[in-house]
Amino acid sequence: MAWYRRSHRDLPWRHTRDPYCIWVSEVMLQQTQVATVIPYYGRFLRRFPTLRALARAPLDDVLKHWEGLGYYARARNLHRAAGVVLETHGGKIPDDPAAFGALPGVGTYMTAAVQSIAFNAPLAVVDGNVKRVVARWFAIGQSVDQTAGMRIVQERAQSLIDPADPGTFNQAVMELGALVCRPLHPDCTACPVAPECAAHRAGTEADYPLRDARRAVARQRI
């Protein structure tokens, strides 16, 4: 967390604790690079500055402001979920993980991210970056493509969470994976947890996370 405070990228959604703004950013960041999201995030919030504004807007207008981000189901689910919050929760985003997780398009990752950052819920986020960091940190010897391997990653991540500031901790681990513990050529000399990292101590960083062997693509001459 000390490393994160010194080294994190200055991103617009890190300047707010508004659960709506954090939620919008997390939806946009699914399957989309940070640099692509930044201008869309600003424009979207200027047009729909509150959850109520989003819920009451026509879907076509929402999709128009999403145009170019792709994966339009994300926008449809966000719009639908905003309507549910308005109708069922009085326009207030639930600070209960179970209630928030029941909204359209909200899964385990989204719940942990929004609830920890906005409401200090002690839930570990596991995205691709966290998966890689944790798998290397503990040299997890099971494939993260399998349920058993992912369960271990989730349990390990949860064991690390700082209950006093889970949102910052989650963002720190995600940022560590994005900037330092990269898929190829991790910069272990800059890593604040390298002395504790089992893969680094063994010199096997490149071996983790373990994955299932990809099936060869069948080729057929026609």
Side-chain angles (χ1 to χ4, degrees):
M1 290 168 71
W3 169 85
Y4 173 77
R5 292 186 177 102
R6 294 191 308 270
S7 308
H8 71 273
R9 292 167 291 180
D10 185 16
L11 303 175
W13 44 87
R14 290 178 173 162
H15 293 274
T16 181
R17 294 295 295 275
D18 183 338
Y20 169 66
C21 297
I22 293 167
W23 186 8
V24 169
S25 73
E26 290 295 341
V27 173
M28 288 187 169
L29 287 164
Q30 287 181 313
Q31 300 174 297
T32 306
Q33 294 186 356
V34 167
T36 302
V37 168
I38 290 174
Y40 280 92
Y41 175 78
R43 288 195 296 267
F44 193 87
L45 288 181
R46 284 192 293 274
R47 174 61 185 87
F48 312 107
T50 65
L51 181 137
R52 190 175 297 271
L54 176 62
R56 290 180 169 172
L59 177 59
D60 286 348
D61 193 13
V62 176
L63 293 176
K64 180 65 177 176
H65 282 78
W66 199 270
E67 200 169 78
L69 270 178
Y71 302 101
Y72 288 90
R74 296 180 297 174
R76 294 187 183 93
N77 282 330
L78 180 61
H79 181 254
R80 189 154 59 98
V84 173
V85 171
L86 191 61
E87 295 171 10
T88 307
H89 301 282
K92 182 180 179 182
I93 295 173
D95 60 2
D96 172 61
F100 183 73
L103 296 172
V106 176
T108 302
Y109 166 80
M110 189 74 64
T111 297
V114 175
Q115 294 289 309
S116 67
I117 297 170
F119 301 117
N120 286 320
L123 301 172
V125 167
V126 177
D127 68 352
N129 287 319
V130 174
K131 189 187 303 182
R132 185 169 58 257
V133 170
V134 172
R136 287 172 172 167
W137 196 337
F138 294 98
I140 293 173
Q142 289 186 260
S143 170
V144 296
D145 294 332
Q146 298 294 325
T147 301
M150 271 304 300
R151 185 183 301 116
I152 294 171
V153 170
Q154 186 73 54
E155 290 171 353
R156 292 289 193 172
Q158 190 63 43
S159 75
L160 295 169
I161 200 80
D162 182 350
D165 194 356
T168 300
F169 185 83
N170 279 330
Q171 292 181 87
V173 180
M174 289 189 284
E175 194 78 336
L176 187 66
L179 302 183
V180 175
C181 195
R182 302 180 295 256
L184 300 175
H185 312 299
D187 186 6
C188 297
T189 60
C191 180
V193 298
E196 304 170 21
C197 177
H200 175 65
R201 291 199 303 266
T204 56
E205 299 94 340
D207 295 341
Y208 298 94
L210 299 184
R211 293 191 174 276
D212 291 348
R214 294 186 180 274
R215 290 183 178 179
V217 177
R219 297 181 182 276
Q220 183 177 7
R221 187 178 296 277
I222 56 174

